[in-house]
Amino acid sequence: MTAAAWGVVLGAGLVLVASPWLWPGVGGAASPRARRTSPLARLAELMSQAGLSRVSAPTVLVVSGLLAVVAGVLVLALVPVAALAGAAAVATALLPLALISARARARRRAMRAVWPDAVDHLVAGLRSGQALPDALVALAEGGPVPLRPAFASLASDLAATGRLGVALDALKQRLADPVADRVIETLRVAREVGGTELPAVLRALAAHLRADAALRSEVEARQSWVVSAARLGVAAPWLVLLLLAARPEAVRAYNSPAGAVLLVAGFVVTVIAYRVMIAVGRLPEERRWFA
């Protein structure tokens, strides 16, 4: 075969290898798992967990890009080091994602603390003779304050559709919380299977949630110093670098190829070390049920 034929074969092979990423919809719709594991889907789920479901994921990406450009230009104007400006742009681009993740973790902690009380209210309603849909609707007024808007929306869904399963699916998507998934799936099974053991099951679930929340709070309090040390370790070298970059000879050194390589390597090592320290000092998050 000639060289041109080999080139055509090689090009066709590369296109076939890359076709699942270039044309994911060809030959049928993408699987639900693929849709959930896409970066935009993960970002949208994270924003739902942070209570920012009204903001779209592309909007966050656009804002991150604009902030990165502004930060890069500002650092380059103050400290004329191209590599340092690039590092500042990358760090600023990741800042909105870090803030959203922190808000999502704080919201999960708050939800974890109030769900046992919500389950207790639900048990009290069931023991007083209310049906399960009525007991759920009552949480919109008598339940814990952070959960009332979600259950008010559930009441609206029940009034519009009359189907508890559809309303529970909407509630599950709205809360996007692992503890909420556990409670909702328990209620769904009890609704579909029937029986008189639901109050006892819910009481046991509330006791387990309280014990889990107490244990997590104690461990997080003990490991908070690891997270604080990681943040201090990330910030300190770069603050020193900014002070050094105020000198003209340091600017010339960092603008050289060797200086640029040093800054890029330092930034990569800083990010990896910070992620490792955060992984060591933070408990693993619960996975969602049937999300």
Side-chain angles (χ1 to χ4, degrees), residues 186-227:
T186 301
L187 296 175
R188 191 193 307 275
V189 171
R191 175 73 172 180
E192 295 176 355
V193 176
T196 59
E197 298 299 323
L198 180 58
V201 172
L202 290 178
R203 282 198 300 269
L205 178 59
H208 173 72
L209 292 178
R210 282 194 174 92
D212 181 69
L215 180 60
R216 279 183 169 271
S217 298
E218 182 178 356
V219 174
E220 287 174 355
R222 291 176 181 272
Q223 293 185 336
S224 60
W225 66 272
V226 179
V227 178

PDB file of all heavy atoms in Angstrom, residues 186-227:
ATOM      1  N   THR A 186     -37.435   4.926  51.469  1.00  0.00           N
ATOM      2  CA  THR A 186     -38.130   4.168  52.511  1.00  0.00           C
ATOM      3  C   THR A 186     -39.632   4.399  52.423  1.00  0.00           C
ATOM      4  O   THR A 186     -40.435   3.454  52.517  1.00  0.00           O
ATOM      5  CB  THR A 186     -37.609   4.575  53.899  1.00  0.00           C
ATOM      6  OG1 THR A 186     -36.206   4.335  53.968  1.00  0.00           O
ATOM      7  CG2 THR A 186     -38.299   3.784  54.991  1.00  0.00           C
ATOM      8  N   LEU A 187     -40.029   5.664  52.231  1.00  0.00           N
ATOM      9  CA  LEU A 187     -41.459   5.963  52.102  1.00  0.00           C
ATOM     10  C   LEU A 187     -42.047   5.345  50.839  1.00  0.00           C
ATOM     11  O   LEU A 187     -43.186   4.855  50.849  1.00  0.00           O
ATOM     12  CB  LEU A 187     -41.660   7.486  52.079  1.00  0.00           C
ATOM     13  CG  LEU A 187     -41.272   8.245  53.347  1.00  0.00           C
ATOM     14  CD1 LEU A 187     -41.416   9.736  53.135  1.00  0.00           C
ATOM     15  CD2 LEU A 187     -42.119   7.795  54.523  1.00  0.00           C
ATOM     16  N   ARG A 188     -41.265   5.333  49.758  1.00  0.00           N
ATOM     17  CA  ARG A 188     -41.776   4.764  48.512  1.00  0.00           C
ATOM     18  C   ARG A 188     -42.026   3.259  48.661  1.00  0.00           C
ATOM     19  O   ARG A 188     -43.058   2.744  48.227  1.00  0.00           O
ATOM     20  CB  ARG A 188     -40.777   5.020  47.382  1.00  0.00           C
ATOM     21  CG  ARG A 188     -41.334   4.710  45.995  1.00  0.00           C
ATOM     22  CD  ARG A 188     -40.209   4.683  44.976  1.00  0.00           C
ATOM     23  NE  ARG A 188     -39.403   5.885  45.022  1.00  0.00           N
ATOM     24  CZ  ARG A 188     -39.721   7.004  44.376  1.00  0.00           C
ATOM     25  NH1 ARG A 188     -40.829   7.068  43.654  1.00  0.00           N
ATOM     26  NH2 ARG A 188     -38.930   8.063  44.445  1.00  0.00           N
ATOM     27  N   VAL A 189     -41.060   2.569  49.283  1.00  0.00           N
ATOM     28  CA  VAL A 189     -41.238   1.132  49.480  1.00  0.00           C
ATOM     29  C   VAL A 189     -42.431   0.851  50.388  1.00  0.00           C
ATOM     30  O   VAL A 189     -43.239  -0.056  50.123  1.00  0.00           O
ATOM     31  CB  VAL A 189     -39.943   0.520  50.059  1.00  0.00           C
ATOM     32  CG1 VAL A 189     -40.167  -0.915  50.476  1.00  0.00           C
ATOM     33  CG2 VAL A 189     -38.818   0.597  49.037  1.00  0.00           C
ATOM     34  N   ALA A 190     -42.551   1.631  51.460  1.00  0.00           N
ATOM     35  CA  ALA A 190     -43.686   1.433  52.361  1.00  0.00           C
ATOM     36  C   ALA A 190     -45.013   1.704  51.650  1.00  0.00           C
ATOM     37  O   ALA A 190     -46.013   1.012  51.885  1.00  0.00           O
ATOM     38  CB  ALA A 190     -43.549   2.347  53.573  1.00  0.00           C
ATOM     39  N   ARG A 191     -45.031   2.683  50.766  1.00  0.00           N
ATOM     40  CA  ARG A 191     -46.255   3.007  50.030  1.00  0.00           C
ATOM     41  C   ARG A 191     -46.623   1.886  49.061  1.00  0.00           C
ATOM     42  O   ARG A 191     -47.793   1.531  48.923  1.00  0.00           O
ATOM     43  CB  ARG A 191     -46.042   4.313  49.262  1.00  0.00           C
ATOM     44  CG  ARG A 191     -47.181   4.730  48.349  1.00  0.00           C
ATOM     45  CD  ARG A 191     -48.362   5.225  49.142  1.00  0.00           C
ATOM     46  NE  ARG A 191     -49.380   5.794  48.271  1.00  0.00           N
ATOM     47  CZ  ARG A 191     -50.539   6.307  48.697  1.00  0.00           C
ATOM     48  NH1 ARG A 191     -50.806   6.333  50.003  1.00  0.00           N
ATOM     49  NH2 ARG A 191     -51.422   6.801  47.854  1.00  0.00           N
ATOM     50  N   GLU A 192     -45.619   1.329  48.388  1.00  0.00           N
ATOM     51  CA  GLU A 192     -45.900   0.304  47.385  1.00  0.00           C
ATOM     52  C   GLU A 192     -46.169  -1.067  47.998  1.00  0.00           C
ATOM     53  O   GLU A 192     -47.006  -1.816  47.506  1.00  0.00           O
ATOM     54  CB  GLU A 192     -44.726   0.221  46.400  1.00  0.00           C
ATOM     55  CG  GLU A 192     -44.542   1.484  45.564  1.00  0.00           C
ATOM     56  CD  GLU A 192     -43.333   1.411  44.669  1.00  0.00           C
ATOM     57  OE1 GLU A 192     -42.578   0.404  44.779  1.00  0.00           O
ATOM     58  OE2 GLU A 192     -43.111   2.348  43.872  1.00  0.00           O
ATOM     59  N   VAL A 193     -45.479  -1.404  49.084  1.00  0.00           N
ATOM     60  CA  VAL A 193     -45.631  -2.723  49.698  1.00  0.00           C
ATOM     61  C   VAL A 193     -46.792  -2.743  50.674  1.00  0.00           C
ATOM     62  O   VAL A 193     -47.523  -3.727  50.780  1.00  0.00           O
ATOM     63  CB  VAL A 193     -44.318  -3.139  50.392  1.00  0.00           C
ATOM     64  CG1 VAL A 193     -44.480  -4.460  51.126  1.00  0.00           C
ATOM     65  CG2 VAL A 193     -43.196  -3.249  49.361  1.00  0.00           C
ATOM     66  N   GLY A 194     -46.970  -1.645  51.394  1.00  0.00           N
ATOM     67  CA  GLY A 194     -48.039  -1.597  52.384  1.00  0.00           C
ATOM     68  C   GLY A 194     -47.580  -2.170  53.709  1.00  0.00           C
ATOM     69  O   GLY A 194     -46.410  -2.516  53.915  1.00  0.00           O
ATOM     70  N   GLY A 195     -48.505  -2.262  54.665  1.00  0.00           N
ATOM     71  CA  GLY A 195     -48.173  -2.791  55.984  1.00  0.00           C
ATOM     72  C   GLY A 195     -48.324  -1.731  57.045  1.00  0.00           C
ATOM     73  O   GLY A 195     -48.553  -0.542  56.768  1.00  0.00           O
ATOM     74  N   THR A 196     -48.195  -2.161  58.296  1.00  0.00           N
ATOM     75  CA  THR A 196     -48.397  -1.266  59.438  1.00  0.00           C
ATOM     76  C   THR A 196     -47.105  -0.972  60.181  1.00  0.00           C
ATOM     77  O   THR A 196     -47.141  -0.393  61.267  1.00  0.00           O
ATOM     78  CB  THR A 196     -49.401  -1.922  60.416  1.00  0.00           C
ATOM     79  OG1 THR A 196     -48.866  -3.181  60.851  1.00  0.00           O
ATOM     80  CG2 THR A 196     -50.744  -2.143  59.739  1.00  0.00           C
ATOM     81  N   GLU A 197     -45.964  -1.352  59.616  1.00  0.00           N
ATOM     82  CA  GLU A 197     -44.687  -1.185  60.309  1.00  0.00           C
ATOM     83  C   GLU A 197     -43.973   0.106  59.935  1.00  0.00           C
ATOM     84  O   GLU A 197     -42.830   0.308  60.361  1.00  0.00           O
ATOM     85  CB  GLU A 197     -43.771  -2.380  59.996  1.00  0.00           C
ATOM     86  CG  GLU A 197     -44.306  -3.718  60.450  1.00  0.00           C
ATOM     87  CD  GLU A 197     -44.496  -3.772  61.949  1.00  0.00           C
ATOM     88  OE1 GLU A 197     -43.657  -3.179  62.663  1.00  0.00           O
ATOM     89  OE2 GLU A 197     -45.480  -4.368  62.400  1.00  0.00           O
ATOM     90  N   LEU A 198     -44.602   0.967  59.141  1.00  0.00           N
ATOM     91  CA  LEU A 198     -43.915   2.177  58.699  1.00  0.00           C
ATOM     92  C   LEU A 198     -43.511   3.072  59.872  1.00  0.00           C
ATOM     93  O   LEU A 198     -42.373   3.557  59.895  1.00  0.00           O
ATOM     94  CB  LEU A 198     -44.784   2.947  57.703  1.00  0.00           C
ATOM     95  CG  LEU A 198     -44.179   4.246  57.165  1.00  0.00           C
ATOM     96  CD1 LEU A 198     -42.839   3.989  56.488  1.00  0.00           C
ATOM     97  CD2 LEU A 198     -45.148   4.932  56.197  1.00  0.00           C
ATOM     98  N   PRO A 199     -44.368   3.355  60.867  1.00  0.00           N
ATOM     99  CA  PRO A 199     -43.911   4.200  61.986  1.00  0.00           C
ATOM    100  C   PRO A 199     -42.694   3.627  62.704  1.00  0.00           C
ATOM    101  O   PRO A 199     -41.759   4.370  63.044  1.00  0.00           O
ATOM    102  CB  PRO A 199     -45.139   4.252  62.898  1.00  0.00           C
ATOM    103  CG  PRO A 199     -46.293   4.034  61.993  1.00  0.00           C
ATOM    104  CD  PRO A 199     -45.802   3.049  60.974  1.00  0.00           C
ATOM    105  N   ALA A 200     -42.673   2.307  62.927  1.00  0.00           N
ATOM    106  CA  ALA A 200     -41.516   1.702  63.600  1.00  0.00           C
ATOM    107  C   ALA A 200     -40.254   1.814  62.746  1.00  0.00           C
ATOM    108  O   ALA A 200     -39.163   2.103  63.258  1.00  0.00           O
ATOM    109  CB  ALA A 200     -41.816   0.239  63.919  1.00  0.00           C
ATOM    110  N   VAL A 201     -40.405   1.600  61.446  1.00  0.00           N
ATOM    111  CA  VAL A 201     -39.252   1.729  60.547  1.00  0.00           C
ATOM    112  C   VAL A 201     -38.727   3.162  60.536  1.00  0.00           C
ATOM    113  O   VAL A 201     -37.512   3.403  60.578  1.00  0.00           O
ATOM    114  CB  VAL A 201     -39.644   1.279  59.125  1.00  0.00           C
ATOM    115  CG1 VAL A 201     -38.525   1.593  58.137  1.00  0.00           C
ATOM    116  CG2 VAL A 201     -39.944  -0.207  59.096  1.00  0.00           C
ATOM    117  N   LEU A 202     -39.641   4.127  60.519  1.00  0.00           N
ATOM    118  CA  LEU A 202     -39.222   5.520  60.496  1.00  0.00           C
ATOM    119  C   LEU A 202     -38.565   5.927  61.821  1.00  0.00           C
ATOM    120  O   LEU A 202     -37.616   6.715  61.823  1.00  0.00           O
ATOM    121  CB  LEU A 202     -40.427   6.425  60.202  1.00  0.00           C
ATOM    122  CG  LEU A 202     -40.986   6.335  58.778  1.00  0.00           C
ATOM    123  CD1 LEU A 202     -42.195   7.230  58.622  1.00  0.00           C
ATOM    124  CD2 LEU A 202     -39.921   6.709  57.749  1.00  0.00           C
ATOM    125  N   ARG A 203     -39.054   5.410  62.937  1.00  0.00           N
ATOM    126  CA  ARG A 203     -38.410   5.713  64.230  1.00  0.00           C
ATOM    127  C   ARG A 203     -36.985   5.160  64.262  1.00  0.00           C
ATOM    128  O   ARG A 203     -36.053   5.824  64.736  1.00  0.00           O
ATOM    129  CB  ARG A 203     -39.237   5.133  65.377  1.00  0.00           C
ATOM    130  CG  ARG A 203     -40.469   5.956  65.735  1.00  0.00           C
ATOM    131  CD  ARG A 203     -40.975   5.580  67.127  1.00  0.00           C
ATOM    132  NE  ARG A 203     -41.330   4.167  67.184  1.00  0.00           N
ATOM    133  CZ  ARG A 203     -42.537   3.688  66.918  1.00  0.00           C
ATOM    134  NH1 ARG A 203     -43.515   4.517  66.561  1.00  0.00           N
ATOM    135  NH2 ARG A 203     -42.790   2.397  67.019  1.00  0.00           N
ATOM    136  N   ALA A 204     -36.813   3.941  63.760  1.00  0.00           N
ATOM    137  CA  ALA A 204     -35.465   3.374  63.705  1.00  0.00           C
ATOM    138  C   ALA A 204     -34.568   4.181  62.767  1.00  0.00           C
ATOM    139  O   ALA A 204     -33.382   4.403  63.061  1.00  0.00           O
ATOM    140  CB  ALA A 204     -35.539   1.917  63.250  1.00  0.00           C
ATOM    141  N   LEU A 205     -35.129   4.641  61.649  1.00  0.00           N
ATOM    142  CA  LEU A 205     -34.353   5.452  60.710  1.00  0.00           C
ATOM    143  C   LEU A 205     -33.955   6.775  61.346  1.00  0.00           C
ATOM    144  O   LEU A 205     -32.818   7.241  61.180  1.00  0.00           O
ATOM    145  CB  LEU A 205     -35.165   5.689  59.439  1.00  0.00           C
ATOM    146  CG  LEU A 205     -34.512   6.556  58.363  1.00  0.00           C
ATOM    147  CD1 LEU A 205     -33.201   5.940  57.899  1.00  0.00           C
ATOM    148  CD2 LEU A 205     -35.458   6.736  57.175  1.00  0.00           C
ATOM    149  N   ALA A 206     -34.872   7.414  62.088  1.00  0.00           N
ATOM    150  CA  ALA A 206     -34.550   8.682  62.754  1.00  0.00           C
ATOM    151  C   ALA A 206     -33.442   8.493  63.783  1.00  0.00           C
ATOM    152  O   ALA A 206     -32.520   9.323  63.895  1.00  0.00           O
ATOM    153  CB  ALA A 206     -35.805   9.248  63.422  1.00  0.00           C
ATOM    154  N   ALA A 207     -33.489   7.392  64.550  1.00  0.00           N
ATOM    155  CA  ALA A 207     -32.433   7.129  65.525  1.00  0.00           C
ATOM    156  C   ALA A 207     -31.081   6.920  64.841  1.00  0.00           C
ATOM    157  O   ALA A 207     -30.047   7.419  65.305  1.00  0.00           O
ATOM    158  CB  ALA A 207     -32.805   5.906  66.360  1.00  0.00           C
ATOM    159  N   HIS A 208     -31.098   6.203  63.712  1.00  0.00           N
ATOM    160  CA  HIS A 208     -29.847   5.989  62.970  1.00  0.00           C
ATOM    161  C   HIS A 208     -29.309   7.305  62.416  1.00  0.00           C
ATOM    162  O   HIS A 208     -28.093   7.552  62.463  1.00  0.00           O
ATOM    163  CB  HIS A 208     -30.098   5.006  61.834  1.00  0.00           C
ATOM    164  CG  HIS A 208     -28.930   4.844  60.916  1.00  0.00           C
ATOM    165  ND1 HIS A 208     -27.776   4.170  61.272  1.00  0.00           N
ATOM    166  CD2 HIS A 208     -28.715   5.306  59.651  1.00  0.00           C
ATOM    167  CE1 HIS A 208     -26.907   4.209  60.276  1.00  0.00           C
ATOM    168  NE2 HIS A 208     -27.449   4.897  59.284  1.00  0.00           N
ATOM    169  N   LEU A 209     -30.185   8.161  61.900  1.00  0.00           N
ATOM    170  CA  LEU A 209     -29.737   9.443  61.354  1.00  0.00           C
ATOM    171  C   LEU A 209     -29.144  10.328  62.435  1.00  0.00           C
ATOM    172  O   LEU A 209     -28.137  11.015  62.201  1.00  0.00           O
ATOM    173  CB  LEU A 209     -30.918  10.154  60.677  1.00  0.00           C
ATOM    174  CG  LEU A 209     -31.469   9.509  59.406  1.00  0.00           C
ATOM    175  CD1 LEU A 209     -32.668  10.290  58.881  1.00  0.00           C
ATOM    176  CD2 LEU A 209     -30.402   9.407  58.331  1.00  0.00           C
ATOM    177  N   ARG A 210     -29.730  10.327  63.616  1.00  0.00           N
ATOM    178  CA  ARG A 210     -29.179  11.127  64.712  1.00  0.00           C
ATOM    179  C   ARG A 210     -27.797  10.620  65.121  1.00  0.00           C
ATOM    180  O   ARG A 210     -26.874  11.412  65.352  1.00  0.00           O
ATOM    181  CB  ARG A 210     -30.132  11.090  65.913  1.00  0.00           C
ATOM    182  CG  ARG A 210     -31.341  11.998  65.778  1.00  0.00           C
ATOM    183  CD  ARG A 210     -32.055  12.186  67.113  1.00  0.00           C
ATOM    184  NE  ARG A 210     -33.109  13.172  66.978  1.00  0.00           N
ATOM    185  CZ  ARG A 210     -34.366  12.881  66.670  1.00  0.00           C
ATOM    186  NH1 ARG A 210     -34.712  11.599  66.463  1.00  0.00           N
ATOM    187  NH2 ARG A 210     -35.268  13.830  66.549  1.00  0.00           N
ATOM    188  N   ALA A 211     -27.659   9.301  65.227  1.00  0.00           N
ATOM    189  CA  ALA A 211     -26.361   8.746  65.608  1.00  0.00           C
ATOM    190  C   ALA A 211     -25.310   9.044  64.550  1.00  0.00           C
ATOM    191  O   ALA A 211     -24.160   9.398  64.871  1.00  0.00           O
ATOM    192  CB  ALA A 211     -26.492   7.238  65.825  1.00  0.00           C
ATOM    193  N   ASP A 212     -25.675   8.936  63.283  1.00  0.00           N
ATOM    194  CA  ASP A 212     -24.732   9.199  62.197  1.00  0.00           C
ATOM    195  C   ASP A 212     -24.330  10.671  62.182  1.00  0.00           C
ATOM    196  O   ASP A 212     -23.144  10.992  61.998  1.00  0.00           O
ATOM    197  CB  ASP A 212     -25.371   8.801  60.863  1.00  0.00           C
ATOM    198  CG  ASP A 212     -24.426   9.022  59.697  1.00  0.00           C
ATOM    199  OD1 ASP A 212     -23.427   8.292  59.591  1.00  0.00           O
ATOM    200  OD2 ASP A 212     -24.693   9.941  58.882  1.00  0.00           O
ATOM    201  N   ALA A 213     -25.294  11.578  62.383  1.00  0.00           N
ATOM    202  CA  ALA A 213     -24.988  13.009  62.389  1.00  0.00           C
ATOM    203  C   ALA A 213     -24.079  13.369  63.557  1.00  0.00           C
ATOM    204  O   ALA A 213     -23.137  14.167  63.414  1.00  0.00           O
ATOM    205  CB  ALA A 213     -26.279  13.814  62.459  1.00  0.00           C
ATOM    206  N   ALA A 214     -24.323  12.775  64.729  1.00  0.00           N
ATOM    207  CA  ALA A 214     -23.472  13.063  65.887  1.00  0.00           C
ATOM    208  C   ALA A 214     -22.047  12.568  65.662  1.00  0.00           C
ATOM    209  O   ALA A 214     -21.069  13.269  65.986  1.00  0.00           O
ATOM    210  CB  ALA A 214     -24.068  12.419  67.131  1.00  0.00           C
ATOM    211  N   LEU A 215     -21.911  11.371  65.103  1.00  0.00           N
ATOM    212  CA  LEU A 215     -20.583  10.829  64.846  1.00  0.00           C
ATOM    213  C   LEU A 215     -19.832  11.660  63.820  1.00  0.00           C
ATOM    214  O   LEU A 215     -18.632  11.962  63.985  1.00  0.00           O
ATOM    215  CB  LEU A 215     -20.702   9.384  64.375  1.00  0.00           C
ATOM    216  CG  LEU A 215     -19.394   8.651  64.057  1.00  0.00           C
ATOM    217  CD1 LEU A 215     -18.504   8.598  65.290  1.00  0.00           C
ATOM    218  CD2 LEU A 215     -19.677   7.256  63.525  1.00  0.00           C
ATOM    219  N   ARG A 216     -20.522  12.056  62.761  1.00  0.00           N
ATOM    220  CA  ARG A 216     -19.871  12.871  61.737  1.00  0.00           C
ATOM    221  C   ARG A 216     -19.442  14.221  62.306  1.00  0.00           C
ATOM    222  O   ARG A 216     -18.362  14.720  61.977  1.00  0.00           O
ATOM    223  CB  ARG A 216     -20.820  13.069  60.552  1.00  0.00           C
ATOM    224  CG  ARG A 216     -20.859  11.897  59.591  1.00  0.00           C
ATOM    225  CD  ARG A 216     -21.753  12.183  58.395  1.00  0.00           C
ATOM    226  NE  ARG A 216     -21.576  11.180  57.375  1.00  0.00           N
ATOM    227  CZ  ARG A 216     -20.679  11.237  56.400  1.00  0.00           C
ATOM    228  NH1 ARG A 216     -19.872  12.273  56.316  1.00  0.00           N
ATOM    229  NH2 ARG A 216     -20.568  10.278  55.511  1.00  0.00           N
ATOM    230  N   SER A 217     -20.271  14.830  63.131  1.00  0.00           N
ATOM    231  CA  SER A 217     -19.919  16.128  63.707  1.00  0.00           C
ATOM    232  C   SER A 217     -18.673  16.022  64.574  1.00  0.00           C
ATOM    233  O   SER A 217     -17.790  16.889  64.531  1.00  0.00           O
ATOM    234  CB  SER A 217     -21.092  16.664  64.531  1.00  0.00           C
ATOM    235  OG  SER A 217     -22.216  16.873  63.718  1.00  0.00           O
ATOM    236  N   GLU A 218     -18.576  14.957  65.347  1.00  0.00           N
ATOM    237  CA  GLU A 218     -17.408  14.775  66.212  1.00  0.00           C
ATOM    238  C   GLU A 218     -16.142  14.564  65.394  1.00  0.00           C
ATOM    239  O   GLU A 218     -15.097  15.177  65.671  1.00  0.00           O
ATOM    240  CB  GLU A 218     -17.639  13.588  67.140  1.00  0.00           C
ATOM    241  CG  GLU A 218     -16.496  13.343  68.111  1.00  0.00           C
ATOM    242  CD  GLU A 218     -16.760  12.183  69.054  1.00  0.00           C
ATOM    243  OE1 GLU A 218     -17.878  11.625  68.998  1.00  0.00           O
ATOM    244  OE2 GLU A 218     -15.851  11.836  69.829  1.00  0.00           O
ATOM    245  N   VAL A 219     -16.220  13.741  64.359  1.00  0.00           N
ATOM    246  CA  VAL A 219     -15.034  13.474  63.549  1.00  0.00           C
ATOM    247  C   VAL A 219     -14.626  14.717  62.766  1.00  0.00           C
ATOM    248  O   VAL A 219     -13.429  15.034  62.655  1.00  0.00           O
ATOM    249  CB  VAL A 219     -15.299  12.285  62.604  1.00  0.00           C
ATOM    250  CG1 VAL A 219     -14.123  12.080  61.654  1.00  0.00           C
ATOM    251  CG2 VAL A 219     -15.545  11.012  63.404  1.00  0.00           C
ATOM    252  N   GLU A 220     -15.592  15.439  62.225  1.00  0.00           N
ATOM    253  CA  GLU A 220     -15.265  16.656  61.481  1.00  0.00           C
ATOM    254  C   GLU A 220     -14.633  17.708  62.378  1.00  0.00           C
ATOM    255  O   GLU A 220     -13.735  18.442  61.950  1.00  0.00           O
ATOM    256  CB  GLU A 220     -16.530  17.198  60.818  1.00  0.00           C
ATOM    257  CG  GLU A 220     -16.994  16.375  59.619  1.00  0.00           C
ATOM    258  CD  GLU A 220     -18.326  16.853  59.089  1.00  0.00           C
ATOM    259  OE1 GLU A 220     -18.928  17.764  59.716  1.00  0.00           O
ATOM    260  OE2 GLU A 220     -18.783  16.325  58.056  1.00  0.00           O
ATOM    261  N   ALA A 221     -15.087  17.803  63.623  1.00  0.00           N
ATOM    262  CA  ALA A 221     -14.476  18.752  64.552  1.00  0.00           C
ATOM    263  C   ALA A 221     -13.030  18.370  64.858  1.00  0.00           C
ATOM    264  O   ALA A 221     -12.157  19.236  64.981  1.00  0.00           O
ATOM    265  CB  ALA A 221     -15.287  18.811  65.839  1.00  0.00           C
ATOM    266  N   ARG A 222     -12.753  17.067  64.967  1.00  0.00           N
ATOM    267  CA  ARG A 222     -11.384  16.627  65.254  1.00  0.00           C
ATOM    268  C   ARG A 222     -10.460  16.821  64.055  1.00  0.00           C
ATOM    269  O   ARG A 222      -9.256  17.037  64.217  1.00  0.00           O
ATOM    270  CB  ARG A 222     -11.388  15.153  65.671  1.00  0.00           C
ATOM    271  CG  ARG A 222     -12.036  14.889  67.025  1.00  0.00           C
ATOM    272  CD  ARG A 222     -12.089  13.404  67.317  1.00  0.00           C
ATOM    273  NE  ARG A 222     -12.725  13.124  68.600  1.00  0.00           N
ATOM    274  CZ  ARG A 222     -12.103  13.085  69.768  1.00  0.00           C
ATOM    275  NH1 ARG A 222     -10.796  13.296  69.805  1.00  0.00           N
ATOM    276  NH2 ARG A 222     -12.747  12.829  70.877  1.00  0.00           N
ATOM    277  N   GLN A 223     -10.994  16.720  62.847  1.00  0.00           N
ATOM    278  CA  GLN A 223     -10.158  16.802  61.653  1.00  0.00           C
ATOM    279  C   GLN A 223     -10.156  18.188  61.014  1.00  0.00           C
ATOM    280  O   GLN A 223      -9.559  18.381  59.960  1.00  0.00           O
ATOM    281  CB  GLN A 223     -10.625  15.776  60.623  1.00  0.00           C
ATOM    282  CG  GLN A 223     -10.389  14.338  61.060  1.00  0.00           C
ATOM    283  CD  GLN A 223     -10.751  13.344  59.981  1.00  0.00           C
ATOM    284  OE1 GLN A 223     -11.561  13.635  59.114  1.00  0.00           O
ATOM    285  NE2 GLN A 223     -10.157  12.160  60.032  1.00  0.00           N
ATOM    286  N   SER A 224     -10.814  19.159  61.641  1.00  0.00           N
ATOM    287  CA  SER A 224     -10.868  20.495  61.043  1.00  0.00           C
ATOM    288  C   SER A 224      -9.482  21.132  60.960  1.00  0.00           C
ATOM    289  O   SER A 224      -9.213  21.949  60.077  1.00  0.00           O
ATOM    290  CB  SER A 224     -11.813  21.386  61.856  1.00  0.00           C
ATOM    291  OG  SER A 224     -11.354  21.497  63.195  1.00  0.00           O
ATOM    292  N   TRP A 225      -8.573  20.754  61.883  1.00  0.00           N
ATOM    293  CA  TRP A 225      -7.232  21.342  61.847  1.00  0.00           C
ATOM    294  C   TRP A 225      -6.473  20.902  60.612  1.00  0.00           C
ATOM    295  O   TRP A 225      -5.609  21.639  60.114  1.00  0.00           O
ATOM    296  CB  TRP A 225      -6.460  20.952  63.101  1.00  0.00           C
ATOM    297  CG  TRP A 225      -6.159  19.485  63.205  1.00  0.00           C
ATOM    298  CD1 TRP A 225      -6.939  18.524  63.760  1.00  0.00           C
ATOM    299  CD2 TRP A 225      -4.990  18.819  62.710  1.00  0.00           C
ATOM    300  NE1 TRP A 225      -6.340  17.284  63.645  1.00  0.00           N
ATOM    301  CE2 TRP A 225      -5.138  17.432  63.017  1.00  0.00           C
ATOM    302  CE3 TRP A 225      -3.841  19.228  62.055  1.00  0.00           C
ATOM    303  CZ2 TRP A 225      -4.174  16.492  62.680  1.00  0.00           C
ATOM    304  CZ3 TRP A 225      -2.883  18.287  61.720  1.00  0.00           C
ATOM    305  CH2 TRP A 225      -3.052  16.937  62.039  1.00  0.00           C
ATOM    306  N   VAL A 226      -6.767  19.721  60.087  1.00  0.00           N
ATOM    307  CA  VAL A 226      -6.098  19.265  58.873  1.00  0.00           C
ATOM    308  C   VAL A 226      -6.501  20.149  57.696  1.00  0.00           C
ATOM    309  O   VAL A 226      -5.659  20.565  56.877  1.00  0.00           O
ATOM    310  CB  VAL A 226      -6.433  17.787  58.602  1.00  0.00           C
ATOM    311  CG1 VAL A 226      -5.759  17.314  57.316  1.00  0.00           C
ATOM    312  CG2 VAL A 226      -5.996  16.924  59.769  1.00  0.00           C
ATOM    313  N   VAL A 227      -7.792  20.466  57.601  1.00  0.00           N
ATOM    314  CA  VAL A 227      -8.268  21.327  56.520  1.00  0.00           C
ATOM    315  C   VAL A 227      -7.676  22.726  56.650  1.00  0.00           C
ATOM    316  O   VAL A 227      -7.243  23.335  55.662  1.00  0.00           O
ATOM    317  CB  VAL A 227      -9.812  21.374  56.535  1.00  0.00           C
ATOM    318  CG1 VAL A 227     -10.327  22.299  55.452  1.00  0.00           C
ATOM    319  CG2 VAL A 227     -10.390  19.975  56.368  1.00  0.00           C
TER     320      VAL A 227
END
